[in-house]
Amino acid sequence: MLALKQEQLFDEIDILPIDLKTKIVDKILASITPLNTSIDSLWIKEVNRRKNDIETNSVPLIDGDEVFQKIAKRLNS
Protein backbone atom coordinates (compact mmCIF):
# COMPACT_ATOMS: atom_id res chain seq x y z
CA MET A 1 0.00 0.00 0.00
CA LEU A 2 2.81 2.44 0.89
CA ALA A 3 4.58 1.77 -2.41
CA LEU A 4 1.42 2.70 -4.31
CA LYS A 5 1.10 5.98 -2.39
CA GLN A 6 4.74 6.76 -3.14
CA GLU A 7 4.20 6.14 -6.84
CA GLN A 8 1.13 8.38 -6.79
CA LEU A 9 3.15 11.10 -5.08
CA PHE A 10 5.96 10.78 -7.64
CA ASP A 11 3.43 10.94 -10.47
CA GLU A 12 1.94 14.12 -9.03
CA ILE A 13 5.38 15.67 -8.60
CA ASP A 14 6.24 14.91 -12.24
CA ILE A 15 3.45 17.14 -13.51
CA LEU A 16 4.22 20.13 -11.27
CA PRO A 17 5.83 23.28 -12.68
CA ILE A 18 9.58 23.60 -12.07
CA ASP A 19 9.25 26.52 -9.65
CA LEU A 20 7.00 24.50 -7.38
CA LYS A 21 9.31 21.48 -7.62
CA THR A 22 12.25 23.60 -6.47
CA LYS A 23 10.23 24.89 -3.52
CA ILE A 24 9.44 21.30 -2.55
CA VAL A 25 13.10 20.34 -2.81
CA ASP A 26 14.09 23.32 -0.64
CA LYS A 27 11.49 22.37 1.93
CA ILE A 28 12.65 18.73 2.00
CA LEU A 29 16.30 19.72 2.33
CA ALA A 30 15.48 22.14 5.13
CA SER A 31 13.64 19.37 6.96
CA ILE A 32 16.62 16.98 6.84
CA THR A 33 19.41 19.53 7.20
CA PRO A 34 19.01 21.69 10.27
CA LEU A 35 19.92 25.35 9.93
CA ASN A 36 23.31 26.33 11.21
CA THR A 37 23.28 30.10 11.37
CA SER A 38 26.94 30.36 12.37
CA ILE A 39 28.02 28.49 9.24
CA ASP A 40 25.51 30.43 7.12
CA SER A 41 26.95 33.68 8.46
CA LEU A 42 30.49 32.59 7.58
CA TRP A 43 29.40 31.67 4.04
CA ILE A 44 27.69 35.02 3.59
CA LYS A 45 30.88 36.80 4.67
CA GLU A 46 32.92 34.68 2.27
CA VAL A 47 30.56 35.31 -0.63
CA ASN A 48 30.64 39.05 0.03
CA ARG A 49 34.46 38.99 0.23
CA ARG A 50 34.71 37.16 -3.10
CA LYS A 51 32.14 39.48 -4.69
CA ASN A 52 34.16 42.47 -3.54
CA ASP A 53 37.38 40.91 -4.89
CA ILE A 54 35.75 40.46 -8.29
CA GLU A 55 34.22 43.92 -8.37
CA THR A 56 37.52 45.61 -7.44
CA ASN A 57 39.55 43.44 -9.85
CA SER A 58 41.62 42.11 -6.93
CA VAL A 59 41.59 38.61 -8.36
CA PRO A 60 42.05 37.42 -11.93
CA LEU A 61 39.02 35.77 -13.47
CA ILE A 62 39.42 32.70 -15.65
CA ASP A 63 36.98 31.86 -18.42
CA GLY A 64 34.95 28.74 -17.63
CA ASP A 65 35.83 27.09 -20.95
CA GLU A 66 39.52 27.49 -20.13
CA VAL A 67 39.00 25.88 -16.72
CA PHE A 68 37.20 22.89 -18.23
CA GLN A 69 39.89 22.49 -20.92
CA LYS A 70 42.56 22.36 -18.22
CA ILE A 71 40.57 19.82 -16.22
CA ALA A 72 40.02 17.64 -19.30
CA LYS A 73 43.72 17.82 -20.14
CA ARG A 74 44.67 16.72 -16.63
CA LEU A 75 42.18 13.86 -16.68
CA ASN A 76 43.38 12.64 -20.07
CA SER A 77 47.09 12.62 -19.19
Side-chain angles (χ1 to χ4, degrees), residues 10 22 25 29 42 48-49 53-54 65 67 70 73:
F10 295 149
T22 57
V25 169
L29 289 174
L42 291 172
N48 287 328
R49 184 188 66 78
D53 287 347
I54 291 168
D65 290 335
V67 172
K70 287 180 180 182
K73 188 175 181 181

Side-chain angles (χ1 to χ4, degrees), residues 17-77:
I18 190 71
D19 61 323
L20 189 52
K21 287 180 184 180
T22 57
K23 287 179 184 177
I24 292 170
V25 169
D26 287 342
K27 195 85 160 162
I28 291 169
L29 289 174
S31 74
I32 60 175
T33 307
L35 292 177
N36 188 331
T37 54
S38 62
I39 291 175
D40 292 345
S41 176
L42 291 172
W43 272 116
I44 290 169
K45 286 180 184 177
E46 180 65 16
V47 167
N48 287 328
R49 184 188 66 78
R50 292 182 187 195
K51 178 180 175 273
N52 183 60
D53 287 347
I54 291 168
E55 290 175 344
T56 60
N57 295 317
S58 300
V59 294
L61 299 181
I62 302 172
D63 184 78
D65 290 335
E66 183 181 338
V67 172
F68 289 118
Q69 287 173 0
K70 287 180 180 182
I71 292 170
K73 188 175 181 181
R74 285 183 187 172
L75 292 174
N76 292 328
S77 38

